[in-house]
Amino acid sequence: MSAGQTTAAPSPWAVHRPGTRDVVLMAVAVVGVSFSGPLTALVATSFLAIAFWRNAAGAALLVPVLLGRERATLTGLRPRDLTTSVVAGLFLAAHFAAWLPSLSMTTVAASTALVTTTPIWTALAARVSGVRLPGQVWAGLALAVVGAALIAGVDVTVSLRALAGDGLALLGAICAGGYMLAGARARTRLATSAYSVVCYSTCAAVLAVAALVTGTPLAGFSARDWWLIAAITVCAQILGHTLLNLVLSTVGPTVVGLAVLLEVPGALLVALVLLQQTPPLLALPGMVAVVAGVALVIRAGRPQTPVEPVT
């Protein structure tokens, strides 16, 4: 190791090879977020209301964890330490505002594939900030995104509405990149529960204001819709986003974003069962490319340092 290198304070945006624990947590998270698109498509109420309740309920469910098991992590924190978590919440609100409407404009497969191009944007941001990424990382990212494009490409000539939906999903990916990058910064100071509570609460507050401005009701739903929203909260928000927030500080936002690309084949299977949406012909080679790209990036990531950030 050269004299100019240090293992004490690695960049929160660097690519790190996940350990066994991280792999297991990301696998569970991918299963959770795979239900997000298909379950959302089944809810009869507005996408804005769904996004509000999954974030508000997610924050509420994590408060007991924060005030119980992780209460000690609040010692010494200053208000400015929460600023990056608020920024992450704003990006998350923008992500939902762009992506959720796309689910009704294009297919679940296309929307999910495009919104999971997030690692491209996180990798570019990391490179601009000075983080050096191996060539194998860029090759893996390219391969994974090509795989996602194979799955989504069937929609390109369908209609202008589908194209608009694809564009919103892509915007959602960029905003998700901002959410992960800000989250990686926040997690160097905050425990998972503290970061998630602030982030989700900020997101819910922004969405509540948006609902008020647009006259979107946040209550009065059928029992079926409330149960679906509860399922989305547990699967996508708690098992999905929160577990990804947990590993964000150890593997970096690009690896987390790339792992979420595995949501694409998962969502295809869920959509096939719940919505009877037949996967496009290029879905199989696309899924193979996504998995191969993820494997390349993980192999290229440098081993984690022995210094553990707060968890």
Side-chain angles (χ1 to χ4, degrees), residues 226-238:
W226 281 118
W227 280 111
L228 285 170
I229 291 172
I232 292 168
T233 300
V234 173
C235 293
Q237 202 71 20
I238 300 300

Side-chain angles (χ1 to χ4, degrees), residues 18 47 66 86 93 107 167 214 238 263 294 309:
F47 295 124
L66 175 59
V86 173
T107 64
T214 59
I238 300 300
E263 175 188 353
V294 172

Side-chain angles (χ1 to χ4, degrees), residues 21-22 25 62 65-66 69-74 186-196 242-251 304-311:
R21 167 182 174 271
D22 294 327
L25 291 173
L62 289 171
V65 178
L66 175 59
R69 185 169 61 89
E70 296 187 338
R71 184 184 184 89
T73 64
L74 298 176
R187 285 283 286 111
T188 62
R189 288 285 299 158
L190 300 177
T192 305
S193 59
Y195 162 65
S196 297
T242 304
L243 289 184
L244 291 176
N245 289 338
L246 180 59
V247 302
L248 194 56
S249 61
T250 54
V251 303
Q304 298 173 28
T305 67
V307 178
E308 289 283 341
V310 64
T311 56

